Amino acid sequence: MIKAIYPGSFDPITFGHIDIIRRGLEVFDQIVIAVAHNIEKEGLFSVEERKNLIREALKDLNRVSVDSFEGLLVNYVEKTQGNVIIRGLRATSDFEYEFHMASINRHLNNRFDTFFMMTAKDYFFVSSRTIKEVAMLGGSVKGLVPENVENALKSKFRALTR
Ligand code: PNS
C-alpha cells in the first residue's frame, strides 16, 4: 500500500494539479492532497475554502482524500504515515525550487522521497498565480480550472471589488 502525499498551496486547484492526481492514482494506491497553511503568503482563498473546492472538484475520484497541514511537510508525512511526496514539474523553471525543496526534505527526513511528474502539455503554462491574475482582470479561465473553481473565482473577485 503506497500512500502518496501531494502537498501544495492549491490556491486554487487547477486542471494541472488534477492531471497530476489522476496520473498519480495509476502509480500510487492512495493520494492525500495536503493543503499547506503558508505563513508567508496569504492566499486568495482560505485553507478551508481551498479544501472544499478540491473536494467538490474531485468528488468522482476514489482513493483521494483532502487534508491540510501546518509546519514542516516532512513532519506531516511522518505523522500521517505517508510513503512518498509527489510534485508536478511544469517547466525547467520549476526545477531549481523543487530540487531545493526535495533536497531539504530529504535532509530533514530520509525515510521518504519526492516523486516528480511532468505536467501534461495542455497545462504546462497553468499556475494558480496566473489563473488568479487572469480571473481578477476579467479574463476567462475556462478549461484551465474546474467549473466550481471558475465560479468561486468570479464571486471572490466580485466581492473584493464591491
Ligand atoms: O504549491 P506550492 O506553493 O508550490 O507548495 C509549496 C509547499 C507548500 C509544498 C512548500 O512550501 C512546503 O512544503 N511547505 C511546508 C513547510 C516546509 O516543510 N518547508 C521546508 C521545505 S521548503
Side-chain angles (χ1 to χ4, degrees):
M1 225 306 277
I2 303 181
K3 179 174 173 180
I5 308 295
Y6 183 23
S9 303
F10 301 103
D11 185 38
I13 190 160
T14 69
F15 277 147
H17 296 125
I18 294 176
D19 168 64
I20 297 290
I21 295 162
R22 283 184 189 283
R23 286 161 49 215
L25 283 172
E26 295 184 16
V27 182
F28 306 109
D29 299 297
Q30 198 192 338
I31 296 182
V32 179
I33 302 167
V35 180
H37 282 267
N38 194 332
I39 34 172
E40 279 168 22
K41 12 175 195 178
E42 208 201 317
L44 174 66
F45 293 100
S46 70
V47 169
E48 269 324 294
E49 286 173 322
R50 292 180 221 175
K51 282 162 69 176
N52 288 335
L53 288 172
I54 299 170
R55 283 199 187 101
E56 168 70 19
L58 300 182
K59 61 178 186 291
D60 298 334
L61 288 185
N62 295 321
R63 298 188 284 126
V64 175
S65 56
V66 186
D67 196 8
S68 53
F69 71 101
E70 280 180 63
L72 285 177
L73 171 63
V74 288
N75 292 349
Y76 173 79
V77 179
E78 184 85 62
K79 194 179 77 190
T80 56
Q81 298 180 330
N83 306 105
V84 297
I85 297 166
I86 46 177
R87 293 282 290 171
L89 270 183
R90 281 167 306 202
T92 47
S93 52
D94 284 343
F95 178 79
E96 202 166 336
Y97 169 64
E98 294 295 338
F99 176 65
H100 281 135
M101 207 156 63
S103 307
I104 188 82
N105 284 339
R106 254 191 93 67
H107 169 79
L108 292 169
N109 188 330
N110 65 7
R111 275 204 328 103
F112 20 76
D113 228 313
T114 304
F115 283 73
F116 293 100
M117 298 181 68
M118 301 304 295
T119 299
K121 65 172 175 30
D122 295 347
Y123 304 120
F124 75 89
F125 59 94
V126 178
S127 71
S128 299
R129 192 176 61 78
T130 50
I131 290 291
K132 282 182 281 193
E133 185 165 334
V134 171
M136 182 179 73
L137 299 172
S140 170
V141 291
K142 213 178 195 49
L144 305 179
V145 294
E147 208 176 319
N148 67 320
V149 172
E150 218 184 305
N151 294 334
L153 282 163
K154 277 188 199 143
S155 24
K156 188 65 94 176
F157 287 122
R158 221 177 323 168
L160 289 178
T161 51
R162 236 182 236 144

